[in-house]
Amino acid sequence: MKRKSSVIPPARRAAAKAKIPLYQKEFYSWLYESPRLTGWLDNQRLLNILTFGFSSKMLRSCAAEVSVSADVLQMGATFGDQIGVAASKVGIYGHYDLIDVSMTQLRHQRNKYCYLYPFMRFVNQDASEPLKRQYDVIICYMLLHEVPSATRAQIVNNALSAVKPGGKVVFIDYNNSPIWHPLRYVVKIFNRLYQPFAEKLWNNEIKNYARNPSEYFWRKTTFFGRMYQKVVATKKEGLY
């Protein structure tokens, strides 16, 4: 009788391995392709310290947009508890797909969640590439500030196109904080050094990247003195 292997199978790949974009290789490979740094930063307590507790508030606000038994897609892996909190809201009768262009990140998330949430799938895919099916909820959590403007527009429109009528796309990311915010210029300096695409997101509303914004109901909430934002786009049902 063969013994069942305890080795966790690799994260699922698309038909061909996703190619890591040049901008990610240039600016983020030191972080996202490092299992050691990924393991160190994947700590909700650390994220709460760095965000003065607002990381936990934002992940709970994101999960509040997810209903039980929903069919959910997450565009991009995240550190901390965000994926786990949203997945626990879905429950065993729903589905939760996580796509990421980095196999390092997918393996890390699979090792973390595959036994807790067997309804999750881990797919190697670039979020800027068209999606093949539709979902009740699509989550784009702290991703848009890391990509160039053209890629940002592709990701936003891919998400909007793949949500079912009546479904939601949930964007959580940095927002253009007011000039009086005590950390505005600290974040600005950090962005100039490590996140060169983030300020373009400050200067443009997420809604403005949509090709057909009138086909959705838009709702925006801000956190931490308008440092962060949650934008929810709900696809109108009467048009379909």
Side-chain angles (χ1 to χ4, degrees):
M1 180 177 178
K2 293 184 178 180
R3 297 181 63 185
K4 186 176 179 181
S5 174
S6 61
V7 177
I8 297 174
R12 179 176 175 178
R13 299 171 185 260
K17 184 178 179 181
K19 184 178 179 180
I20 296 178
L22 182 60
Y23 69 83
Q24 184 160 323
K25 289 181 180 179
E26 182 72 20
F27 297 107
Y28 301 111
S29 61
W30 64 273
L31 170 59
Y32 293 133
E33 299 308 313
S34 170
R36 179 176 294 182
L37 275 176
T38 292
W40 183 72
L41 288 172
D42 190 14
N43 184 309
Q44 189 58 45
R45 290 184 180 179
L46 175 61
L47 295 179
N48 280 334
I49 291 171
L50 295 175
T51 62
F52 296 88
F54 280 88
S55 176
S56 287
K57 292 183 180 180
M58 289 189 292
L59 67 85
R60 289 195 298 269
S61 182
C62 177
E65 304 293 341
V66 177
S67 58
V68 177
S69 302
D71 196 1
V72 178
L73 170 70
Q74 173 135 351
M75 304 175 88
T78 59
F79 296 144
D81 296 341
Q82 182 268 314
I83 293 173
V85 171
S88 64
K89 185 75 178 291
V90 170
I92 61 173
Y93 297 109
H95 297 89
Y96 201 110
D97 290 352
L98 171 64
I99 64 171
D100 200 291
V101 73
S102 169
M103 286 300 299
T104 301
Q105 293 302 310
L106 282 178
R107 291 189 188 102
H108 179 80
Q109 295 298 329
R110 183 173 178 85
N111 292 344
K112 184 177 179 180
Y113 290 120
C114 68
Y115 295 125
L116 289 173
Y117 307 112
F119 52 83
M120 292 185 70
R121 297 193 315 153
F122 305 83
V123 183
N124 181 217
Q125 182 178 337
D126 190 332
S128 67
E129 296 295 324
L131 300 166
K132 296 180 179 179
R133 56 186 295 254
Q134 291 191 313
Y135 295 86
D136 299 314
V137 181
I138 297 178
I139 297 171
C140 188
Y141 194 100
M142 300 302 287
L143 172 63
L144 296 182
H145 73 277
E146 294 188 342
V147 302
S149 294
T151 304
R152 188 176 301 137
Q154 290 176 318
I155 292 173
V156 169
N157 285 289
N158 282 347
L160 293 174
S161 297
V163 71
K164 298 175 183 177
K168 304 174 183 177
V169 182
V170 183
F171 302 98
I172 291 187
D173 221 300
Y174 285 107
N175 188 54
N176 190 1
S177 57
I179 60 173
W180 51 259
H181 198 291
L183 295 182
R184 174 183 172 87
Y185 296 100
V186 175
V187 174
K188 195 178 186 74
I189 292 171
F190 180 83
N191 287 342
R192 294 285 176 90
L193 293 173
Y194 300 108
Q195 299 184 144
F197 312 113
E199 284 187 45
K200 290 293 184 181
L201 182 61
W202 280 15
N203 299 329
N204 202 358
E205 294 287 343
I206 293 173
K207 179 180 178 180
N208 293 339
Y209 290 100
R211 283 191 293 266
N212 301 300
S214 62
E215 296 180 3
Y216 306 83
F217 296 110
W218 295 85
R219 171 166 47 93
K220 180 174 178 177
T221 307
T222 59
F223 307 87
F224 194 25
R226 291 185 278 169
M227 176 68 72
Y228 303 101
Q229 62 179 319
K230 178 179 78 171
V231 174
V232 180
T234 304
K235 182 174 276 191
K236 298 177 181 178
E237 295 187 76
L239 301 176
Y240 303 90

